[in-house]
Amino acid sequence: MDELQFFNNYTTIYQKFIRKLLVLINRRPILEEGSVRKVRTICELCFYYCGIDVYLKDGDVIRVSGVKENPSNRGEVCMKAKALPEIHHSPGRLRHPLIHEADGWRRASWDEALDMIASKLRELKGEREERKVAIFQGVGVGHHLVKWFMMRFADLYGTPNFSSVSSISYLSRAIGHILTYGDVSAPRFEETNCMVLWGSDPYATLYPRWGSRVLEAKRRGAKLIIIDPGPNHFADRADLLLQPLPGTDLALALGFINVIITKGLHDEGFVDRWTIGFEELKERVAVYTPEFVEKMTTVPKEKIEEAARMYATLKPSSILQGAGIELQLDGVQTSRALAILHAITGNLDVKGGNMLGVRLPMLMLRFTDRVNGEPLGGSEFPFFYEIERSAHMRNMIDAMAEGKPYPVKVLILAGGNPMVTWPDTRKVRRALANLELFVVIDVFMTETAKLAHIVLPAADFLERPAIGDYGHYIAPPYVAIGKEVVPPLEEAKPDIMIFAELARKLGMSEYFPWKDLREAIRAVIGPSGIKLEEVDRQGGGIYYSEKRFKGYEDVGFKTPSGKIELYSKRLEEAGQDPIPRYGRKIALDGRYPLLLITGLKRQGYVSSQFRNIPALRSLEQEPLLYVNPQTAQRYDIKDGDLVILRTVNAEREIKVKLSRYIHPNAVGVVSGWSGINELTDWNDYDPISGFPNLRAITCNIDKKQ
């Protein structure tokens, strides 16, 4: 089976046709070469900042190609980027400020819309009620750069309640890694001998270059272990495929640690020199024998032993951790267990292992001394707050919906779609309806934007400069600058400039002194010593330092002890278990005998985005429920049947898609479809991160009669 066929295992013939069509469109010859212009920039359809060349003809984006020099994608582009001309020129783009009135939407001027917002903010500030204003940044904006300026605006206004998508993505992993060794790590497959895809399908998720790295490593002989209860595009390529019952990843990780320690496969020299708490860890995992873990996870004990041995002995080994690990009841402790695996096997910060990240020195934009009060959720989730320095979305929803501990009256939402992506859709709707002023800044009219009082049109990433620091996500110390490829569409404005203009109306103009975004970026990267002109001369990107492995040998780890903390006193002091423990047994009964995974992935989508783009919508026309054929036989259902999917919270009708790659005791749906989160809620959540359980929800299905 060739790679193209392999990647299309889970697509229909029509989907294959659309994918090939996108490739052909982007490979078509450029006619009338003199009228075509090429602009190099970075892609922000997700947060990996792939380098792209954008081809323009008569001002229109006609195609996109990858930049080989960019370490993120090395010349590759995903199907989202190939569809960029259609995304950018979509007739659904927002073009003007809109105000919602009794008889519908009315076009407004920027001054009118911003004056309305500023008036309400001044009213609350005059009452010393700045905390009742919340500002939220979603995944659909320019990520770090926009986020920093939004935080600056929130601080200067005085509200502690800036929040972001970090309340439901990535921070759980970061907490687990940082509590263990003081930083976040990323795998390095280029030199690895053993790859572990733990809850991750690199081809289907945001960043396809990881998929190519897997294939390249396999071609040179590296082993591949996949741990995933759901469909995975690399399942047929795996040397070992482990499918644990959803929600039992922590038990499985502790089983790995048990095998590694009891068989003497750990790196004794590294453990003695650089860790604390090994004896306590050894005692804790003694009970997690392969036989015991098999009962909890359904993974055969022989596979547990073999996978643990492969990871520990085929060094260097590395683990790519997926988002599904975070969205479980013990997501932080599972991330801790994986970080412990990196450490005790000596696979941390070495070539081919899990590398510690680096960061470009940048200007600090915060003014936390101007904030009035503590952020919502800051005291309940102190480790989240310590890293993110912001409010938690979970608590913000409570404040909007229930007025606890106080009501939030204003929400300014940039690049988010909570009516689709946040748990418990009914509660979200109630929360948004309670707001006295709800403002949405977006590129498209989303389901959430339809409920707003004011909608402001945002420029897309081709219409503004940007900055991408790669050190944090994929480890190489590289920074790239994105260019304004084309002017903003009609009256659309970059998110940062919208907040800057609102700041000026509130008398805060001295804190947003930059005449344009490029000047602001110049100021932000000033502390690094890098000049924009230098980056331009280097083709849009530049390495700002050399990656040095085993940097801890000079400075230790960024933990209180300076070592890797297998036993975390900080967790103990916070009332949490200092060593990961799997103390929860998933209760499947006759009423809810299955587990629902709401986070299966399709490469063409990022969260709820791009389903309005015809070429990408064709990948999956409607939400589908992935069901194992064994399960389907028990329920007397077949491919294409309609079933009622039911949880304790709600039920909905959905079409069945059979897949032998999903666990027989689980069903799954691709994330980002409208209505799916009616089935979920915030009542089950990780007590350390506050992240909801979205990957192991008890459920049942009934064939629709």
Side-chain angles (χ1 to χ4, degrees):
M1 181 182 295
D2 64 30
E3 289 173 19
L4 180 59
Q5 291 173 316
F6 167 68
F7 281 146
N8 287 291
N9 275 344
Y10 309 107
T11 59
T12 64
I13 298 298
Y14 179 64
Q15 292 165 355
K16 291 181 184 180
F17 167 74
I18 291 294
R19 186 172 298 175
K20 290 178 180 178
L21 181 61
L22 285 170
V23 171
L24 290 173
I25 289 171
N26 280 276
R27 287 180 178 171
R28 67 189 180 195
I30 300 175
L31 304 177
E32 302 175 48
E33 194 69 39
S35 65
V36 173
R37 184 167 61 97
K38 181 178 75 173
V39 181
R40 180 158 295 184
T41 188
I42 54 176
C43 180
E44 293 187 85
L45 293 175
C46 76
F47 47 78
Y48 281 103
Y49 308 122
C50 293
I52 57 172
D53 286 327
V54 181
Y55 294 85
L56 304 169
K57 185 175 183 180
D58 300 326
D60 291 338
V61 178
I62 59 171
R63 76 180 185 101
V64 170
S65 63
V67 176
K68 291 183 179 180
E69 295 81 5
N70 187 293
S72 181
N73 59 315
R74 295 297 184 193
E76 295 184 46
V77 290
C78 70
M79 64 178 65
K80 297 184 296 295
K82 291 172 183 175
L84 185 55
E86 188 177 352
I87 296 171
H88 175 71
H89 294 295
S90 170
R93 288 278 306 273
L94 291 168
R95 288 162 163 76
H96 313 284
L98 299 171
I99 294 175
H100 206 175
E101 296 183 337
D103 58 350
W105 292 101
R106 173 175 65 83
R107 179 174 169 177
S109 69
W110 273 103
D111 275 340
E112 181 186 9
L114 292 177
D115 283 341
M116 286 182 63
I117 301 167
S119 175
K120 185 62 178 179
L121 296 186
R122 278 194 294 266
E123 174 190 322
L124 290 172
K125 194 168 186 67
E127 299 169 356
R128 297 294 296 157
E129 295 287 5
E130 296 96 334
R131 65 180 184 166
K132 294 182 179 178
V133 174
I135 299 172
F136 186 87
Q137 177 242 1
V139 74
V141 296
H143 309 294
H144 289 124
L145 186 63
V146 176
K147 182 177 181 178
W148 298 329
F149 281 93
M150 289 173 66
M151 289 176 127
R152 184 183 185 90
F153 176 89
D155 289 348
L156 290 166
Y157 173 72
T159 179
N161 291 320
F162 170 86
S163 187
S164 76
V165 70
S166 295
S167 297
I168 200 171
S169 176
Y170 182 71
L171 250 291
S172 176
R173 177 188 326 185
I175 294 169
H177 287 199
I178 289 170
L179 283 170
T180 307
Y181 42 64
D183 210 334
V184 182
S185 72
R188 188 177 172 105
F189 286 167
E190 290 84 350
E191 303 93 357
T192 196
N193 290 328
C194 179
M195 302 169 286
V196 182
L197 305 183
W198 203 310
S200 176
D201 184 349
Y203 179 73
T205 49
L206 306 180
Y207 181 45
R209 177 61 190 158
W210 279 117
S212 297
R213 287 173 175 154
V214 171
L215 294 174
E216 289 163 5
K218 281 289 293 178
R219 281 194 287 268
R220 62 173 175 77
K223 299 296 184 181
L224 174 61
I225 301 170
I226 293 178
I227 302 171
D228 201 329
N232 192 297
H233 284 82
F234 292 93
D236 289 334
R237 296 288 181 98
D239 296 282
L240 271 179
L241 174 62
L242 282 63
Q243 288 199 289
L245 190 69
T248 63
D249 295 271
L250 177 55
L252 184 60
L254 293 172
F256 275 36
I257 296 171
N258 170 283
V259 171
I260 289 167
I261 292 177
T262 57
K263 302 295 184 183
L265 304 178
H266 58 287
D267 188 326
E268 188 172 354
F270 182 86
V271 167
D272 290 345
R273 174 69 181 86
W274 290 109
T275 72
I276 59 173
F278 181 75
E279 290 303 318
E280 292 89 341
L281 174 68
K282 181 178 180 180
E283 181 179 351
R284 168 59 53 83
V285 301
V287 69
Y288 294 96
T289 62
E291 295 79 8
F292 180 66
V293 172
E294 178 180 357
K295 293 177 182 178
M296 290 184 286
T297 65
T298 73
V299 177
K301 63 181 181 180
E302 294 81 9
K303 283 193 172 185
I304 296 171
E305 292 176 349
E306 186 178 0
R309 185 180 295 276
M310 285 173 61
Y311 175 73
T313 60
L314 297 178
K315 299 193 332 183
S317 300
S318 55
I319 299 174
L320 178 59
Q321 176 179 337
I325 299 298
E326 304 176 45
L327 295 167
Q328 301 181 21
L329 297 181
D330 40 31
V332 170
Q333 293 287 23
T334 306
S335 294
R336 280 254 299 143
L338 298 186
I340 288 169
L341 278 170
H342 307 156
I344 66 172
T345 56
N347 280 307
L348 183 63
D349 212 27
V350 297
K351 279 188 177 182
N354 278 71
M355 296 169 55
L356 297 177
V358 292
R359 290 169 182 80
L360 183 74
M362 294 191 188
L363 178 69
M364 175 59 67
L365 294 174
R366 301 293 306 267
F367 282 88
T368 52
D369 59 315
R370 302 280 292 270
V371 171
N372 179 20
E374 294 296 318
L376 291 163
S379 57
E380 185 176 356
F381 305 111
F383 296 110
F384 173 90
Y385 175 68
E386 180 181 298
I387 297 171
E388 189 67 2
R389 296 293 174 184
S390 69
H392 201 293
M393 184 172 80
R394 179 180 185 276
N395 302 77
M396 198 170 75
I397 286 290
D398 284 343
M400 290 190 290
E402 316 293 348
K404 299 176 182 178
Y406 54 83
V408 165
K409 296 183 177 181
V410 175
L411 174 63
I412 303 176
L413 177 84
N417 193 8
M419 281 298 296
V420 177
T421 60
W422 292 6
D424 197 345
T425 305
R426 288 172 295 183
K427 184 174 183 179
V428 172
R429 185 183 294 276
R430 187 169 73 250
L432 298 179
N434 286 344
L435 294 167
E436 295 178 8
L437 178 63
F438 180 29
V439 180
V440 169
I441 303 169
D442 214 311
V443 176
F444 294 103
M445 180 65 80
T446 64
E447 289 194 37
T448 302
K450 293 173 184 176
L451 303 178
H453 301 109
I454 298 174
V455 173
L456 302 176
D460 73 11
F461 76 88
L462 293 178
E463 299 164 346
R464 54 169 170 74
I467 182 172
D469 178 13
Y470 299 71
H472 186 50
Y473 284 116
I474 58 172
Y478 186 86
V479 62
I481 304 297
K483 295 180 179 178
E484 181 181 314
V485 177
V486 293
L489 177 67
E490 298 192 31
E491 291 190 276
K493 293 178 182 287
D495 304 74
I496 291 174
M497 302 314 294
I498 294 172
F499 281 96
E501 290 188 21
L502 185 56
R504 293 183 187 109
K505 287 185 177 291
L506 292 169
M508 303 186 300
S509 58
E510 64 181 294
Y511 298 101
F512 291 84
W514 309 285
K515 70 178 185 296
D516 57 35
L517 265 181
R518 188 168 170 88
E519 186 177 313
I521 291 173
R522 190 188 306 277
V524 167
I525 67 172
S528 71
I530 293 175
K531 306 298 182 186
L532 288 182
E533 295 74 16
E534 180 183 4
V535 179
D536 289 339
R537 285 194 300 270
Q538 295 291 332
I542 190 171
Y543 286 91
Y544 53 82
S545 70
E546 292 185 4
K547 170 60 185 172
R548 183 175 180 273
F549 297 97
K550 297 185 178 182
Y552 56 82
E553 292 183 341
D554 293 333
V555 297
F557 291 92
K558 300 175 187 176
T559 59
S561 65
K563 295 187 175 184
I564 297 170
E565 300 188 348
L566 310 176
Y567 185 105
S568 173
K569 290 185 178 179
R570 298 191 64 212
L571 279 172
E572 185 177 44
E573 291 167 356
Q576 303 294 337
D577 208 314
I579 301 176
R581 179 203 306 268
Y582 183 78
R584 172 179 61 89
K585 184 178 180 181
I586 295 177
L588 298 177
D589 55 32
R591 187 180 179 195
Y592 298 111
L594 299 171
L595 290 168
L596 172 63
I597 305 169
T598 64
L600 304 183
K601 302 295 183 184
R602 281 282 186 192
Q603 190 195 104
Y605 309 131
V606 179
S607 192
S608 67
Q609 295 180 88
F610 311 131
R611 285 173 171 83
N612 62 323
I613 306 303
L616 297 178
R617 179 61 175 256
S618 69
L619 297 171
E620 193 170 83
Q621 296 280 358
E622 60 185 326
L624 299 172
L625 187 69
Y626 288 77
V627 180
N628 189 286
Q630 296 177 35
T631 311
Q633 188 173 15
R634 295 202 308 267
Y635 284 84
D636 190 27
I637 56 178
K638 59 183 183 299
D639 199 68
D641 279 352
L642 287 175
V643 298
I644 304 300
L645 172 61
R646 184 179 296 107
T647 70
V648 70
N649 304 296
E651 62 182 48
R652 67 160 294 153
E653 185 179 293
I654 190 168
K655 187 181 290 186
V656 167
K657 174 72 173 176
L658 296 186
S659 170
R660 65 187 177 91
Y661 290 103
I662 193 163
H663 195 287
N665 292 330
V667 293
V669 64
V670 173
S671 62
W673 281 108
S674 176
I676 295 300
N677 269 319
E678 292 178 1
L679 301 165
T680 67
D681 64 31
W682 280 103
N683 293 330
D684 289 331
Y685 61 93
D686 186 325
I688 302 175
S689 68
F691 277 35
N693 169 33
L694 299 179
R695 297 298 189 266
I697 303 166
T698 54
C699 71
N700 202 354
I701 54 175
D702 291 309
K703 185 175 181 179
K704 186 179 180 183
Q705 301 302 321

